[in-house]
Amino acid sequence: MTNKDPNPPRGPIHRATKALGLLNVTILSVLALGVIGISLNETVLRVLYPRGLPDWGAEVTTYMMAWGLMLSLPILVLRGQNIAADFLVNAIPQKMRRAIGLGEDIAGAVFCAVVAWGGYLATDLAHRLGQISDTSLQFPMWLYILAVPVGFGLSSVSYLLRLAARVWPTLNFWKAEDK
């Protein structure tokens, strides 16, 4: 028994979303492997050769994990896997769910845009002040902080794409599920 959708998502926006999703998963995989590699290296060096332990390992893994988290947000929003209080929504009628879904997407887009703007301001300030890390890397802190406006800016766009799919279902580039 197959449960094939007779009208699957299609079109250039759907293809672009799939391509960006693949790129995102690739970037996240590289970041995760980097974190694992650096952490494993630090663990081995700590046991076998403590003098060889770099002072920047924990810093770099923190930066990589922060970027990974921020880059995962927009894809989770598009897939409907973002954090949501849906235990009450599931108990109400379908028409109300649609209205709540529209409100959720609007509120999510606005919230993410506000956080992205604040992140941009923080990034700009760190860049103008020339803030660097305390380790031997002397990593520019604005590159670390930049993860916030990028992640939340892309999440805002993801919410707007979800909103468009709910308002214009004939676009058929993404299945908006009103859960």
Side-chain angles (χ1 to χ4, degrees):
M1 181 164 92
T2 61
N3 193 9
K4 281 207 161 204
D5 188 353
N7 194 16
R10 61 182 178 277
I13 295 176
H14 174 68
R15 286 192 298 277
T17 302
K18 284 186 73 168
L20 287 174
L22 180 61
L23 176 64
N24 190 286
V25 167
T26 303
I27 291 170
L28 291 174
S29 298
V30 168
L31 287 172
L33 289 172
V35 167
I36 292 169
I38 292 170
S39 298
L40 182 62
N41 179 57
E42 282 204 327
T43 303
V44 169
L45 284 176
R46 186 168 284 125
V47 172
L48 299 179
Y49 186 63
R51 280 194 211 159
L53 192 64
D55 68 336
W56 50 262
E59 176 185 9
V60 171
T61 57
T62 299
Y63 299 158
M64 293 171 81
M65 288 174 29
W67 269 97
L69 173 68
M70 290 296 124
L71 290 176
S72 68
L73 296 177
I75 296 301
L76 293 173
V77 169
L78 277 178
R79 292 180 178 169
Q81 295 173 336
N82 56 303
I83 296 173
D86 58 358
F87 60 94
L88 290 177
V89 175
N90 292 334
I92 60 176
Q94 184 67 23
K95 286 185 180 183
M96 282 183 102
R97 281 191 222 172
R98 178 171 160 70
I100 289 172
L102 292 171
E104 173 189 306
D105 291 342
I106 292 168
V110 169
F111 174 79
C112 288
V114 168
V115 173
W117 177 250
Y120 163 75
L121 294 175
T123 302
D124 182 54
L125 180 63
H127 185 263
R128 284 189 286 123
L129 293 176
Q131 289 182 330
I132 57 173
S133 66
D134 294 334
T135 63
S136 61
L137 283 182
Q138 297 195 346
F139 192 81
M141 294 308 294
W142 70 270
L143 288 172
Y144 171 57
I145 300 167
L146 183 63
V148 173
V150 169
F152 278 92
L154 291 172
S155 295
S156 185
V157 171
S158 294
Y159 274 113
L160 292 174
L161 285 172
R162 274 181 29 170
L163 180 64
R166 288 183 205 275
V167 173
W168 299 290
T170 56
L171 290 177
N172 199 27
F173 65 85
W174 179 74
K175 291 287 186 183
E177 295 180 25
D178 296 315
K179 294 180 180 180

